[in-house]
């Protein structure tokens, strides 16, 4: 199945918006392209593309931007991010992490 032009899908409280969303049920693969935005609880993830396996609850967001709080700081992550069904973990590769909230961080 493929939906193009302001696609929106929602499952178990998680919303995904993108220009194009495709799903292959036989392989459990959901793909989103065109500035996909993933909303889960208070977490927002924006990226260039998303590939998510609905059977394993794991996905990769390329060119991602997200933030999270730890202690008294808010951290911003930009780059390639992998996430799993455990909401307390975030994996990043070829990414930057900073507490600077400027569009182009200076540290």
């Amino acid at each position: 199945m493929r939906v193009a032009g302001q696609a929106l899908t929602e499952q178990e409280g998680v919303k995904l918006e993108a220009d194009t969303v495709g799903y292959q049920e036989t392989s459990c693969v959901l793909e989103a392209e065109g500035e996909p935005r993933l909303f889960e609880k208070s977490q927002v993830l924006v990226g260039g593309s998303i590939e998510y396996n609905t059977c394993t609850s794991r996905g990769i967001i390329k060119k991602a931007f997200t933030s999270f709080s730890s202690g008294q700081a808010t951290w911003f992550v930009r780059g390639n991010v992998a996430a799993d069904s455990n909401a307390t973990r975030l994996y990043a590769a070829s990414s930057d992490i900073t507490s600077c909230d400027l569009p182009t961080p200076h540290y």
Side-chain angles (χ1 to χ4, degrees), residues 2-10 14-23 30-39 45-51 61-62:
R2 191 160 193 82
V3 179
Q6 298 180 332
L8 169 66
T9 182
E10 182 176 358
V14 179
K15 290 183 183 180
L16 173 64
E17 295 177 353
D19 292 341
T20 305
V21 174
Y23 181 65
L30 178 110
E31 296 176 317
E33 297 174 345
E35 294 189 26
R37 294 158 304 281
L38 187 66
F39 304 91
L45 232 115
V46 179
S49 66
I50 294 176
E51 185 174 308
I61 302 92
K62 294 183 180 175

Side-chain angles (χ1 to χ4, degrees), residues 24-98:
Q24 297 175 9
E25 187 174 7
T26 55
S27 61
C28 302
V29 174
L30 178 110
E31 296 176 317
E33 297 174 345
E35 294 189 26
R37 294 158 304 281
L38 187 66
F39 304 91
E40 182 176 12
K41 300 176 186 169
S42 62
Q43 183 80 17
V44 178
L45 232 115
V46 179
S49 66
I50 294 176
E51 185 174 308
Y52 186 78
N53 186 305
T54 59
C55 294
T56 62
S57 298
R58 294 183 179 159
I60 297 173
I61 302 92
K62 294 183 180 175
K63 297 181 183 176
F65 176 72
T66 192
S67 64
F68 64 93
S69 295
S70 180
Q72 295 182 1
T74 299
W75 296 96
F76 300 91
V77 180
R78 292 172 178 87
N80 297 329
V81 174
D84 66 15
S85 57
N86 185 340
T88 61
R89 287 187 247 173
L90 188 71
Y91 303 95
S94 303
S95 301
D96 296 319
I97 183 169
T98 180

